[in-house]
Amino acid sequence: MSRQRSMDKIRASDFVSIGELVRLTGSRYSTLKFYTEEGMLPFEQEEENRTRRFPREKAISRINEIKDLKKQGLSIPEIKERLTSKD
Amino acid sequence: MKELSFAQNFSLIALNAQESTRLTNSKKVSLRCMAAAALLEIYLDKGLSEKGENLTFELETLNNTSMPLYQQTVLKILLSRDKSLCETLPKYLLKVLKFSSKQLKEVEDAFAFTLTRENVMEEIPALLNSDLEFVTAGIEMREYRSNAEIFTRLTESIRAEILEDGPITDEAIIMIWLLRESGCIYDLFSKEELKHVAARIYELYDNTSLGRVIFPINIHKTVEYAVKNFLKMKKEMMSTPSGSGINFVFPIIERSQSIFIDTESYFSNKEDRLRDVKQRLESNGHNITVIREGEIPLIKIDNVLYEAVPHAKQYRFPVHGVRLIKYPLSL
């Protein structure tokens, strides 16, 4: 039996699942999935169970960065380009 | 973000947009599942002593002052005049089917009390109050509205956990079952996603002990469930490219599924029509977000998505307006 982690535990973890990232940031699941598949969000994938694990701090700051760039009126390809050149 | 208990989380979904003043069939389905959620929460937290397959619960446990009001209410109803209960988990859960209307009302009051006290739920004028026929009849109803931010975080994290590959928590397994039994699953997942959810249920049934116990249990009453999902079934059968279907003809059974908002005048311009409808709903206390504009706009009204389909009703003279048709939350 595996239980859901409390918010305190999630906030103290180095890595979080996509569902936990949704709980932390309030972003939509489909949005985060899209960012992940477009290579805009850093993650690690465990081979055994195919689960994506996201480095909590990095992922949250990346999501906030994307939100800011969107507010500035940049399109997704432009945001992607900006993030790639930064990396 | 406020952290709520498992049963409270489910109740935020199950009670959202349900009428608060009447015990509708749709709400009965939700309330039975909320009672089951309270029981399952106690089970997950090891509040029932386990001997083999049997779970025992003693009357004295109710003296525990830290037990939430909704758990106490459900357990008191289950105990009735007994001093203890010893049943398997499925038998405990099936007992919610026998809850009377009065007992369901007690469950509702207990949950609504704790959720409103936590400031995560409020009562607002019902969306149906904006329906032409309810306006002209002078009928006023109220409904529950869950906190929008918490509702989004909650439903999106559930969607993520279920749709994403990999291990799944016990809470998520139980949540899928509760969503299935309450019929809320159709609001959270699209038709395509539901195929994935069905495959997930089979996988969890085969590979987890909790899934094997919980998924064969049915706690919905066929009549109540059919009323709640009647229009969904009809919509499936009669779906058209514009998504209209038979809702236009038979909106009588579950009115919240198909609401007619008359516009002040005939608008040939879609922008003016949408603006007029938006103003009308906002003046009735609803939070409106336009998700998609166009001939058939998609609007979010108090956590629920609706397509606003232009429509005219034939009385002695035609009345123009829009028909609000429920849309799954999965965009």
Side-chain angles (χ1 to χ4, degrees), chain B residues 91-132:
Chain B
K91 283 194 176 159
Y92 268 105
L93 292 173
L94 287 168
K95 283 179 188 287
V96 301
L97 273 171
K98 296 199 175 118
F99 279 22
S100 66
S101 295
K102 186 172 164 255
Q103 288 168 330
L104 289 174
K105 183 79 186 102
E106 285 172 26
V107 173
E108 177 186 353
D109 290 345
F111 271 101
F113 173 76
T114 53
L115 292 171
T116 44
R117 193 184 52 191
E118 297 279 349
N119 280 326
V120 293
M121 182 171 273
E122 59 185 329
E123 273 188 72
I124 56 163
L127 183 58
L128 263 177
N129 289 351
S130 307
D131 185 289
L132 175 66

Side-chain angles (χ1 to χ4, degrees), chain A residues 22 25-28, chain B residues 1 4 12-13 16-17 118-122 124 144-157 286-289 300-304 329:
Chain A
V22 168
T25 62
S27 305
R28 296 180 63 83
Chain B
M1 178 185 161
L4 299 168
L12 275 186
I13 299 172
N16 183 59
E118 297 279 349
N119 280 326
V120 293
M121 182 171 273
E122 59 185 329
I124 56 163
Y144 293 112
R145 174 167 68 191
S146 302
N147 174 291
E149 195 202 332
I150 295 174
F151 185 86
T152 306
R153 278 178 199 251
L154 177 62
T155 50
E156 287 297 318
S157 64
H286 299 286
N287 293 335
I288 314 294
T289 315
K300 192 174 191 178
I301 309 172
D302 306 325
N303 303 323
V304 182
L329 278 173

Side-chain angles (χ1 to χ4, degrees), chain B residues 184-196:
Chain B
C184 297
I185 203 160
Y186 300 103
D187 298 332
L188 259 63
F189 298 96
S190 69
K191 213 168 149 186
E192 272 309 303
E193 287 170 345
L194 281 172
K195 290 179 193 163
H196 186 89

Side-chain angles (χ1 to χ4, degrees), chain B residues 159-295:
Chain B
R159 284 170 41 72
E161 197 165 358
I162 296 172
L163 295 174
E164 198 73 6
D165 288 334
I168 195 164
T169 60
D170 291 344
E171 281 87 349
I173 295 174
I174 292 173
M175 189 61 88
I176 302 177
W177 177 74
L178 287 168
L179 292 173
R180 185 193 78 185
E181 289 303 298
S182 62
C184 297
I185 203 160
Y186 300 103
D187 298 332
L188 259 63
F189 298 96
S190 69
K191 213 168 149 186
E192 272 309 303
E193 287 170 345
L194 281 172
K195 290 179 193 163
H196 186 89
V197 176
R200 194 80 156 132
I201 290 176
Y202 280 117
E203 179 199 319
L204 292 167
Y205 175 78
D206 284 340
N207 302 325
T208 65
S209 54
L210 183 60
R212 228 174 349 267
V213 172
I214 203 122
F215 287 121
I217 306 169
N218 289 310
I219 57 159
H220 58 263
K221 282 196 171 177
T222 315
V223 174
E224 290 170 1
Y225 197 78
V227 167
K228 186 168 184 180
N229 292 299
F230 171 76
L231 285 164
K232 285 178 192 124
M233 290 186 272
K234 286 284 190 187
K235 202 155 63 184
E236 289 281 299
M237 286 155 62
M238 304 283 286
S239 56
T240 65
S242 66
S244 52
I246 206 153
N247 285 10
F248 285 77
V249 192
F250 297 111
I252 45 169
I253 294 196
E254 179 51 60
R255 287 299 304 257
S256 64
Q257 298 279 333
S258 176
I259 296 159
F260 179 73
I261 314 283
D262 60 306
T263 45
E264 294 296 324
S265 55
Y266 170 71
F267 293 110
S268 55
N269 178 326
K270 53 184 184 287
E271 287 81 21
D272 289 344
R273 187 170 54 228
L274 180 60
R275 194 166 42 247
D276 188 80
V277 169
K278 198 168 167 259
Q279 269 172 8
R280 172 76 61 86
L281 293 170
E282 279 171 346
S283 68
N284 282 351
H286 299 286
N287 293 335
I288 314 294
T289 315
V290 178
I291 307 286
R292 178 188 76 206
E293 293 186 356
E295 205 51 52

Side-chain angles (χ1 to χ4, degrees), chain B residues 2-18:
Chain B
K2 198 172 290 243
E3 193 154 21
L4 299 168
S5 71
F6 172 78
Q8 286 176 321
N9 278 337
F10 172 71
S11 306
L12 275 186
I13 299 172
L15 277 185
N16 183 59
Q18 294 277 5

